[in-house]
């Protein structure tokens, strides 16, 4: 049962081959069996899941079920869930139980999905390896000595290990696409504004975007359908109708123009990863697509730009965690100043503190113009590069990450090397564009991701392009040994 894609599970539920309660129990058993070791989950909501599976079964029986009704999924622990702890991977929120559901959670709930629990993540979504979580590192199911990527590492590893049908994640600089690549699954970061950020704990508000982590593009289409759409409670949410994503999956690709940015294939990219990405692009040629050489001249500036903009926004967003209103509070503060200082020093981990300090510095008087304003100007140039490119091509392809999964501990003490993991993903966030990662030919048993970037609100096109490759190949169906 657990090896079926979400699309197959939905069909099985509707045909009465198994019930949602049976399916939920099967996943809960797998979580018990494997997760002590993998550490994908921060919280498992056993009783709640079984109760919602019973309600889903009733809906299936009385004919009021939607496409996802009865499907067990997991939410990244950054999405608020009423009555169930939302930690954001931090000691700061170890005791935080939100009084409301994030819009993404509420919508998936209304669609009838069953929430199995909350997944592990880098603290406040800052990281590329899931090593900054207060709840410990997540292990990559393909090889437990390797990181799963981050920051949605718990969600990616859980989907890869078949511990849930699908999962949600968030992507500020690559946190859906990079862990999807490193764990051999499909991940989609929608256009900024496509999915509501209401109840999604903010890291860098102008970059954050929620999206699905799934086994296939067809599964991602089903998840996005339920997640996307205007939300009056998020002022940056787009007032655009949500198209029928599943209906676009099979469209023919003849004449599709694929842009290959030369900057994405230069030094720094592992040669075998490059070969694997090129082999997938050759498949698209066979399907009748045309490959065009393009240039994104400012892409070399994206990591530096991001590491001014994202810390600046996080320093502001994280100022609310002060030990007064909610979250961790130090013992016996001497005065208000001491309360702030010690609550924050004790509650936040090293990477979060590093970012708050960089951001506070970059926004301070005298440095604002030199750093923050400059970064915003370069961000504009990066968006311009894409605007020009999309005048020429329909989608842009390249690697998701410069390497396959690396060893736990390998980059943990070297933040700058770690930051380079997102060299190909960050630009899409800076420009607000949708991006996807799908598994292609692995290198030495380690998954590799092909990244597909589209123009604004072209999620349907991305899913179509991804699905057509998944019709012709079975890389996305491969399971890690033992799962
Ligand atoms: N790895 C990047 C960072 O550490 C991106 C994280 C994310 O997308 N949430 O900020």
């Amino acid at each position: 049962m657990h090896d079926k894609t979400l699309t197959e599970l939905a069909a099985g539920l509707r045909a009465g081959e198994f019930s949602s309660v049976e399916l939920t129990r099967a996943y809960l058993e797998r979580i018990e069996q494997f997760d002590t070791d993998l550490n994908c989950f921060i919280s498992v909501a056993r009783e709640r899941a079984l109760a919602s599976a019973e309600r889903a079964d009733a809906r299936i029986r009385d004919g009021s079920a939607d496409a996802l009704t009865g499907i067990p999924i997991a939410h990244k622990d950054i999405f608020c869930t009423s009555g169930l702890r939302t930690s954001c991977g931090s000691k700061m929120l170890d005791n935080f139980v939100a009084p409301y559901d994030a819009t993404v959670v509420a919508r998936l709930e209304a669609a009838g999905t069953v929430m199995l629990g909350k997944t592990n993540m880098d603290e406040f979504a800052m990281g590329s390896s899931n090593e900054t979580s207060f709840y410990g590192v997540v292990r990559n199911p393909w090889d437990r000595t390797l990181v799963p990527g981050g920051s949605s590492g718990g969600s990616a590893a859980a989907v890869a290990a078949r511990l849930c049908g699908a999962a949600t994640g968030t992507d500020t600089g690559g946190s859906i696409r990079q862990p999807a690549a490193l764990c051999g699954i499909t991940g989609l970061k929608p256009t900024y504004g496509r999915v509501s950020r209401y109840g999604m704990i903010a890291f860098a508000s102008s970059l954050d975007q929620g999206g699905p982590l799934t086994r296939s593009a067809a599964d991602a289409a089903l998840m996005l359908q339920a997640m996307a759409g205007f939300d009056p409670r998020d002022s940056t949410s787009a007032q655009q109708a949500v198209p029928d994503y599943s209906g676009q999956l099979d469209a023919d690709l003849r004449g599709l123009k694929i842009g290959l940015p030369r900057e994405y294939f230069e030094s720094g990219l592992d040669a075998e990863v490059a070969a694997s990405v090129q082999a997938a692009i050759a498949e698209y040629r066979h399907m009748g697509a045309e490959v065009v050489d393009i240039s994104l001249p400012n892409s070399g500036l994206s990591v530096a730009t991001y590491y001014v903009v994202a810390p600046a926004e996080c320093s502001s967003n994280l100022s609310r965690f002060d030990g007064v209103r909610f979250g961790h509070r130090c013992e016996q503060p001497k005065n208000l100043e001491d309360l702030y200082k010690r609550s924050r020093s004790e509650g936040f981990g090293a990477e979060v503190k590093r970012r708050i300090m960089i951001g506070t510095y970059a926004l301070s008087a005298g440095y604002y113009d030199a750093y923050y304003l400059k970064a915003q100007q370069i961000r504009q140039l990066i968006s311009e590069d894409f605007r020009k490119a999309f005048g020429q091509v329909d989608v842009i392809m390249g690697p998701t990450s410069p390497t396959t999964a690396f060893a736990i501990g390998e980059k943990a003490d070297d933040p700058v090397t770690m930051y380079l993991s997102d060299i190909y993903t960050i630009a899409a966030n800076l420009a607000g564009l949708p991006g996807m990662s799908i598994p292609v030919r692995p290198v030495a048993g380690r998954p590799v991701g092909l990244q597909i970037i589209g123009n604004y609100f072209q999620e349907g096109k991305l899913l179509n392009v991804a699905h057509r490759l998944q019709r012709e190949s079975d890389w996305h169906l491969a399971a890690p040994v033992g799962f």
Side-chain angles (χ1 to χ4, degrees):
M1 211 146 51
H2 63 264
D3 204 43
K4 291 188 185 326
T5 64
L6 209 152
T7 314
E8 292 164 343
L9 289 174
L13 283 169
R14 269 194 301 277
E17 284 167 35
F18 42 81
S19 69
S20 174
V21 169
E22 283 167 334
L23 187 57
T24 303
R25 277 192 204 286
Y27 279 123
L28 287 168
E29 267 164 38
R30 288 181 65 77
I31 293 171
E32 229 162 78
Q33 184 185 354
F34 294 109
D35 208 45
T36 342
D37 185 28
L38 294 178
N39 200 25
C40 300
F41 283 85
I42 291 175
S43 305
V44 177
R46 194 187 165 80
E47 298 314 317
R48 183 169 168 157
L50 289 168
S52 93
E54 274 176 26
R55 285 194 300 276
D57 282 332
R59 274 181 72 177
I60 294 169
R61 274 195 305 274
D62 73 19
S64 66
D66 289 326
L68 293 178
T69 304
I71 300 284
I73 63 165
H75 287 297
K76 184 177 183 178
D77 209 15
I78 197 169
F79 289 101
C80 287
T81 43
S82 70
L84 178 66
R85 172 176 62 172
T86 300
S87 74
C88 220
S90 181
K91 179 179 176 186
M92 184 57 93
L93 291 178
D94 188 43
N95 61 3
F96 175 60
V97 179
Y100 64 98
D101 281 330
T103 296
V104 161
V105 172
R107 289 198 173 166
L108 283 164
E109 194 90 16
T113 62
V114 171
M115 173 178 60
L116 294 168
K118 308 289 292 289
T119 58
N120 206 340
M121 54 181 284
D122 279 298
E123 187 178 5
F124 283 101
M126 298 174 197
S128 305
S129 64
N130 227 291
E131 292 167 292
T132 73
S133 170
F134 175 62
Y135 302 91
V137 64
V138 174
R139 298 183 177 276
N140 190 320
W142 292 88
D143 175 342
R144 294 169 208 211
T145 65
L146 305 179
V147 302
S151 63
S152 314
S155 286
V159 171
R162 280 88 171 131
L163 305 186
C164 54
T168 56
T170 61
D171 190 312
T172 303
S175 281
I176 289 176
R177 290 160 288 159
Q178 185 256 16
L182 272 45
C183 288
I185 63 162
T186 298
L188 169 62
K189 178 203 100 71
T191 309
Y192 182 77
R194 179 74 293 186
V195 168
S196 169
R197 292 186 295 111
Y198 178 76
M200 196 175 105
I201 295 175
F203 161 15
S205 312
S206 76
L207 303 162
D208 297 341
Q209 184 60 200
L213 291 115
T214 55
R215 299 261 309 284
S216 70
D219 290 4
L222 290 175
M223 285 288 285
L224 185 63
Q225 199 76 49
M227 295 167 78
F230 175 66
D231 177 6
R233 290 194 276 204
D234 170 3
S235 59
T236 59
S237 155
Q239 303 221 24
Q240 287 242 2
V242 180
D244 170 18
Y245 295 117
S246 300
Q248 302 177 45
L249 287 170
D250 290 297
D252 197 278
L253 296 187
R254 266 172 294 184
L256 178 85
K257 287 207 173 77
I258 300 174
L260 298 193
R262 66 184 74 105
E263 294 81 5
Y264 284 21
F265 293 88
E266 284 169 354
S267 64
L269 175 61
D270 178 275
E272 286 177 294
V273 169
S276 178
V277 165
Q278 291 289 6
I281 291 163
E283 283 290 322
Y284 281 106
R285 276 209 189 87
H286 287 146
M287 289 184 243
E290 185 190 330
V291 174
V292 184
D293 264 326
I294 60 164
S295 174
L296 298 170
N298 294 293
S299 54
L301 300 171
S302 64
V303 174
T305 306
Y306 173 87
Y307 279 98
V308 174
V309 174
E313 293 185 15
C314 101
S315 72
S316 165
N317 277 326
L318 272 58
S319 62
R320 73 191 65 171
F321 304 108
D322 57 6
V324 176
R325 286 159 291 189
F326 47 82
H328 176 75
R329 176 181 294 181
C330 69
E331 298 280 343
Q332 299 183 331
K334 289 202 278 294
N335 50 40
L336 186 61
E337 174 114 2
D338 185 47
L339 168 74
Y340 288 155
K341 267 195 193 154
R342 279 202 291 126
S343 299
R344 286 169 69 80
S345 317
E346 293 166 10
F348 290 135
E351 183 61 25
V352 172
K353 287 178 188 159
R354 183 178 295 129
R355 307 251 184 138
I356 291 173
M357 284 190 282
I358 295 171
T360 306
Y361 181 84
L363 288 177
S364 57
Y367 295 109
Y368 181 93
D369 289 351
Y371 296 109
Y372 189 70
L373 194 67
K374 192 52 108 196
Q376 291 290 24
Q377 287 164 341
I378 299 170
R379 184 175 184 177
Q380 210 48 53
L381 295 177
I382 290 170
S383 302
E384 262 307 285
D385 284 356
F386 281 112
R387 198 188 58 77
K388 285 187 197 135
F390 284 120
Q392 262 182 293
V393 299
D394 302 306
V395 293
I396 293 173
M397 284 190 192
T400 304
S401 188
T403 64
T404 53
F406 43 92
I408 292 171
E410 189 181 323
K411 299 184 185 178
D413 298 325
D414 185 354
V416 176
T417 309
M418 185 73 86
Y419 296 169
L420 291 173
S421 304
D422 295 314
I423 189 159
Y424 305 126
T425 48
I426 279 174
N429 300 79
L430 290 169
L433 294 165
M436 208 169 163
S437 180
I438 57 170
V440 292
R441 192 181 68 209
V443 168
R446 298 182 188 185
V448 173
L450 168 74
Q451 184 177 212
I452 315 168
I453 300 173
N455 210 343
Y456 298 104
F457 299 100
Q458 294 291 302
E459 288 80 7
K461 173 60 72 186
L462 293 187
L463 289 161
N464 162 222
V465 170
H467 179 70
R468 291 300 298 228
L469 187 71
Q470 294 183 342
R471 268 177 43 170
E472 306 295 321
S473 61
D474 54 10
W475 291 308
H476 65 296
L477 298 178
V481 178
F483 294 95

